Amino acid sequence: MTTPTIAMPITESSNVTQFVIHQGNGVKGLSEIGLKTLPKQYIQPLGERIDPSKIIADESIPIIDMSNLEDPEVANSICDAAEKWGFFQIVNHGVPLEVLANVKVATHRFFGLPADEKKKYTKEHSPNTNVRFGTSFSPQAEKALEWKDFLSMFYVSEEEALASWPPACRDEALEYMKGSKIVVNRLLQVLVKRLNVNEIDETKKSLLKGSVRINLNYYPVCPNPELTNGIGRHSDVSTLTILLQDDIGGLYVKSPHGNDSWIHVPPIEGSLVINVGDALQILSNGRYKSVEHRVVANRSKNRISVPVFVNPRPSDVIGPLPEMLADGEKPIYKQVLYSDYVRHFFKKAHDGKGTVEFAKIM
């Protein structure tokens, strides 16, 4: 693999943008040219960096063994975790370990492609809006960029995916997505029962899991990780997110105990991280919590993660489920077109739980 080269000083803002975004090098390219200091575009305001003194070292999110999901105690532990924490790890989930290993290898393979190959999938060049290679989160809206590259693939059909997803990772991403679908179905069956929903009919199937997106995330070595973010604090707009992380670590979840404190989610071999998204918080009228989380950059190791976002369809209108309001409970959220909600999320920088306020009844 050849190291990317840049003809002009990387310290100049226009050159960084050109090199990272327009030439398709991403922050991986910046990392590989041996920068000693972080370009100013990536330096986050002090209030957006993680404060080491606010990390709770002796606490962790729940770890749930799914091998006996028929056990009421297991079902209760899932619902309790979704209510209190919004995050939990699952083991013995049924997705073959080989499938998890293969998609991690495929993620490294895609990001190891030459910049010209990856550039084919950027917003400007991709022949398909369902496949997007990019960097940071929403560069046009951010005052400070995030230290991350990503490939995002929206699933329409197997045929469409085979035709348009990058061959370097297509088959492995599809296998992982299929495996996670089974896990999602099992989790949702459990979660909706506590919402007084006895059956997931076609309408609720669309609201809960009508669309799916998979991302491959790459966080390269960073010269000054304390000054930036891999991903800034945010909650997901999904119903559920199923995250596969590698063994590097760096994911932090906001503590339910307040004080703006954070809890590390340590990698567990063969596990998947599950988190509640804003859509499920809205559908459950606030019973299940979508929680802020973030990723820190790393000085010595490249990190990858592979989230699958299970969402309503863009054309769905989301609001508290009728079952949640049947006994006179007042709705906290209004009815919102899901595509409007997602658009609101992406038109601004990561801002914690700011997006869910968009759906609140004032």
Side-chain angles (χ1 to χ4, degrees), residues 57-321:
D58 57 352
E59 195 162 14
S60 65
I61 64 171
I63 300 166
I64 299 172
D65 187 335
M66 284 187 62
S67 57
N68 188 12
L69 197 54
E70 287 67 36
D71 183 341
E73 284 193 21
V74 177
N76 281 332
S77 66
I78 289 169
C79 296
D80 290 347
E83 284 192 20
K84 179 184 176 180
W85 294 88
F87 263 83
F88 52 97
Q89 295 206 65
I90 56 174
V91 295
N92 296 319
H93 41 67
V95 183
L97 297 183
E98 184 183 13
V99 170
L100 304 184
N102 288 346
V103 77
K104 286 191 277 191
V105 169
T107 299
H108 281 287
R109 186 162 59 236
F110 173 80
F111 287 103
L113 292 173
D116 284 346
E117 278 296 308
K118 289 181 288 191
K119 191 168 73 171
K120 293 176 183 176
Y121 301 100
T122 58
K123 184 177 180 180
E124 294 75 20
H125 298 98
S126 181
N128 189 322
T129 57
N130 294 324
V131 181
R132 179 70 44 80
F133 167 66
T135 191
S136 191
F137 170 63
S138 193
Q140 71 281 0
E142 293 169 301
K143 292 179 181 175
L145 298 173
E146 298 176 348
W147 195 258
K148 179 195 79 168
D149 297 329
F150 67 88
L151 176 70
S152 184
M153 298 171 285
F154 184 81
Y155 182 79
V156 176
S157 68
E158 179 110 2
E159 183 181 21
E160 196 266 357
L162 290 171
S164 62
W165 291 13
C169 57
R170 174 191 61 211
D171 296 345
E172 294 84 357
L174 279 170
E175 278 303 305
Y176 169 56
M177 204 181 70
K178 287 175 189 172
S180 68
K181 182 179 178 181
I182 298 167
V183 176
V184 167
N185 289 342
R186 297 172 72 201
L187 289 170
L188 285 175
Q189 289 285 356
V190 168
L191 289 165
V192 299
K193 280 185 181 174
R194 191 172 281 192
L195 306 181
N196 304 316
V197 175
N198 295 318
E199 181 191 357
I200 299 178
D201 59 20
E202 285 305 310
T203 300
K204 288 189 174 63
K205 184 177 177 182
S206 177
L207 282 172
L208 293 166
K209 50 182 180 178
S211 69
V212 182
R213 179 182 297 278
I214 182 170
N215 278 17
L216 312 184
N217 295 329
Y218 191 93
Y219 306 89
V221 168
C222 179
N224 303 108
E226 70 285 355
L227 300 180
T228 192
N229 293 317
I231 301 181
R233 57 190 184 86
H234 70 288
S235 60
D236 294 346
V237 294
S238 58
T239 303
L240 287 178
T241 302
I242 304 89
L243 176 77
L244 171 65
Q245 56 174 345
D246 63 12
D247 61 353
I248 305 301
L251 171 64
Y252 287 82
V253 173
K254 198 163 193 180
S255 167
H257 307 307
N259 302 320
D260 198 29
S261 53
W262 297 85
I263 298 165
H264 187 231
V265 181
I268 298 172
E269 181 66 30
S271 73
L272 293 169
V273 180
I274 308 295
N275 67 277
V276 172
D278 290 354
L280 186 54
Q281 177 169 321
I282 292 167
L283 291 165
S284 69
N285 204 35
R287 171 167 284 192
Y288 295 139
K289 308 292 192 297
S290 70
V291 172
E292 283 183 51
H293 50 288
R294 66 199 308 166
V295 174
V296 300
N298 192 297
R299 188 183 300 276
S300 60
K301 294 179 178 178
N302 301 315
R303 177 182 184 267
I304 60 161
S305 69
V306 188
V308 172
F309 303 100
V310 180
N311 318 295
R313 290 181 310 182
S315 59
D316 283 329
V317 174
I318 61 170
L321 292 169

